[in-house]
Amino acid sequence: MDTVKVAIIGCGNIFPMHAQSVKENPNTELVAVCDNKPERANERAIEMDCKSYTDYVDMLDKETLDAIHICLPHYLHAPVSIEVTKRGLHVLTEKPMAIKYQDAEAMLSTARAYNTHFGVIFQNRYNAGAQLIKTMLTEGTLGSIQSAKASVTWDRSDEYYSKSDWKGTWDKEGGGVLIDQAIHTLDLMRWFIDAELEYVDATISNRGHEYIEVEDAAEGILKFKSGVVAAFHTINYYTYDAPVQIEIHCEKGLIKMIGDKGMVSLYDGREFIADHNPNETFSYGVGVKSYWGVNHIKQINNFYHVLLHGGELDIKPEEALKTQEMINAIYQSGKENRRITFEARRSND
Ligand SMILES: NC(=O)c1ccc[n+]([C@@H]2O[C@H](COP(=O)([O-])OP(=O)(O)OC[C@H]3O[C@@H](n4cnc5c(N)ncnc54)[C@H](O)[C@@H]3O)[C@@H](O)[C@H]2O)c1
């Protein structure tokens, strides 16, 4: 395969990050886009100079494709991914993998059974600050991790929810601030700590929104088998998207991540800082929100590099599955108002 033939399903907010990345990659060709809103599909197809579909099964039946990007509401990630995989095509889906852990597991096991590539977007892992922190933790410069905390205080208005036909619902979004916004920060914190989870103890509630079913606040602790306790506090009823924060207290220093910036202060006086390079830009188009960062293209390029040349994805699907399990355990803890241990969760599956 010289050129990978690609289609994107879902032409909403996140579509440009995928479409422009595919257009930019010399080894991929955007053959078609699909959205069940015909005017949206047509508009995007004209913009990207490709074919347009309103029914993804019809598109899969008619087109010769190699890979599909899933940019759909959360409840559609699992069924569409599994349908696509069973046709032998590779899948790159937006976060979260799915709403339910069992569905996410099925997505991955189907990809393994059909020997196809499967990736889940967590583009913030490519942020310069996150890369610095991960590298220094992996090299052992900081010694062991003692504890950690994360905070996400963002703004998702009633209008944000009322404009969407799926956000704010348990059945279609699968939750609120946790599964949609804070998932990125909690994924980073879990990746930094890099240990198996022992239990979560959390609360979820809706405190600031009138019309949504799902939580707009979640807080709790994540206890890792390494002994590390990590606290988190996430809300989306703040008045702006404040930079997310992670702090990690280590044996030999302190790590802070504020927004995209990573800062490592070693107790011997050495300081390391990495931030987004302002010269590193990529235009995903007019009106595309800057807080999604520039890193979709990096993860998408890595996906196609692995597809064409072999090797392992930078962000392995098993990692996305672990984050999915963590998020689902937090929901379970919040809904059942009790500590959820991972051993018990698995033995009940
Ligand atoms: N990685 C990130 O930072 C980031 C940022 C934003 C969104 N996302 C993720 O991207 C995904 C999409 O989010 P969004 O904000 O673009 O949503 P959106 O509602 O703007 O877009 C979803 C699109 O899917 C279409 N659709 C719904 N059902 C369909 C079906 N059966 N067939 C074809 N099209 C269908 C809708 O018409 C809509 O255009 C979600 O998983 C979300 O969490 C990720």
Side-chain angles (χ1 to χ4, degrees):
M1 193 195 320
D2 292 333
T3 303
V4 188
K5 294 190 183 308
V6 179
I8 303 175
I9 310 179
C11 298
N13 295 313
I14 205 65
F15 171 87
M17 321 296 276
H18 291 258
Q20 297 296 349
S21 301
V22 170
K23 275 276 177 192
E24 189 74 10
N25 188 315
N27 301 313
T28 54
E29 179 194 345
L30 185 60
V31 172
V33 298
C34 172
D35 198 291
N36 64 354
K37 295 193 170 89
E39 66 293 351
R40 201 172 274 194
N42 284 335
E43 201 180 299
R44 296 302 204 176
I46 291 167
E47 191 185 317
M48 302 311 299
D49 193 19
C50 65
K51 291 187 191 165
S52 153
Y53 285 88
T54 51
D55 178 341
Y56 72 88
V57 175
D58 186 34
M59 178 178 81
L60 297 174
D61 284 345
K62 289 186 178 144
E63 297 296 333
T64 303
L65 296 163
D66 302 305
I68 302 292
H69 292 229
I70 297 179
C71 299
L72 289 165
H74 300 167
Y75 73 105
L76 292 170
H77 290 191
V80 174
S81 168
I82 290 169
E83 167 72 27
V84 167
T85 302
K86 285 184 171 172
R87 291 169 181 252
L89 309 184
H90 310 290
V91 168
L92 184 58
T93 181
E94 267 296 344
K95 46 54 67 170
M97 268 174 98
I99 288 180
K100 290 188 183 147
Y101 178 69
Q102 285 78 2
D103 288 342
E105 261 188 325
M107 292 160 87
L108 183 51
S109 62
T110 308
R112 284 191 185 127
Y114 284 79
N115 204 18
T116 54
H117 289 280
F118 176 69
V120 184
I121 295 284
F122 278 108
Q123 80 277 9
N124 290 343
R125 287 194 181 197
Y126 286 92
N127 289 347
Q131 290 282 325
L132 169 77
I133 293 167
K134 183 65 182 174
T135 302
M136 291 194 70
L137 283 168
T138 308
E139 284 171 358
T141 323
L142 285 136
S144 62
I145 295 175
Q146 310 292 298
S147 58
K149 59 177 180 168
S151 147
V152 180
T153 53
W154 281 9
D155 171 24
R156 292 296 177 274
S157 62
D158 280 325
E159 192 202 355
Y160 164 90
Y161 283 109
S162 64
K163 275 196 323 205
S164 171
D165 52 11
W166 62 278
K167 291 195 173 172
T169 63
W170 284 113
D171 61 338
K172 294 191 170 69
E173 190 178 17
V177 63
L178 194 58
I179 201 165
D180 205 320
Q181 288 90 42
I183 189 170
H184 284 296
T185 308
L186 295 185
D187 173 68
L188 285 179
M189 184 163 72
R190 193 193 61 70
W191 181 50
F192 294 152
I193 294 170
D194 200 16
E196 292 301 315
L197 276 155
E198 184 182 330
Y199 66 78
V200 304
D201 208 330
T203 66
I204 57 169
S205 52
N206 180 345
R207 298 183 179 136
H209 287 84
E210 290 263 342
Y211 306 111
I212 59 172
E213 302 170 350
V214 298
E215 89 292 349
D216 62 11
E219 63 75 39
I221 69 163
L222 304 163
K223 171 80 190 303
F224 291 83
K225 286 185 180 164
S226 60
V228 172
V229 169
F232 64 91
H233 172 246
T234 69
I235 59 169
N236 68 7
Y237 52 79
Y238 203 48
T239 45
Y240 81 110
D241 288 350
V244 300
Q245 298 197 16
I246 296 177
E247 184 176 287
I248 305 181
H249 174 215
C250 300
E251 201 184 356
K252 296 180 186 168
L254 195 64
I255 293 171
K256 287 185 195 234
M257 196 193 82
I258 302 181
D260 293 352
K261 187 172 178 180
M263 292 159 283
V264 178
S265 310
L266 292 171
Y267 299 142
D268 64 12
R270 285 178 292 162
E271 302 266 345
F272 301 84
I273 295 179
D275 201 356
H276 171 61
N277 175 356
N279 298 322
E280 185 191 40
T281 55
F282 180 72
S283 175
Y284 292 103
V286 179
V288 178
K289 294 190 184 95
S290 60
Y291 60 68
W292 293 331
V294 294
N295 290 332
H296 267 82
I297 192 166
K298 291 185 187 165
Q299 190 172 349
I300 290 167
N301 283 345
N302 175 251
F303 184 77
Y304 287 110
H305 181 83
V306 170
L307 211 149
L308 288 167
H309 305 291
E312 285 202 293
L313 294 174
D314 290 338
I315 303 172
K316 297 178 189 56
E318 293 79 7
E319 274 288 290
L321 188 62
K322 284 183 185 176
T323 292
Q324 181 78 38
E325 187 174 27
M326 171 178 70
I327 296 293
N328 287 129
I330 296 170
Y331 278 120
Q332 190 184 358
S333 175
K335 286 178 180 173
E336 297 177 12
N337 197 22
R338 66 184 180 89
R339 173 176 295 182
I340 302 297
T341 65
F342 280 71
E343 299 300 339
R345 250 182 77 78
R346 287 184 191 133
S347 58
N348 285 337
D349 278 348

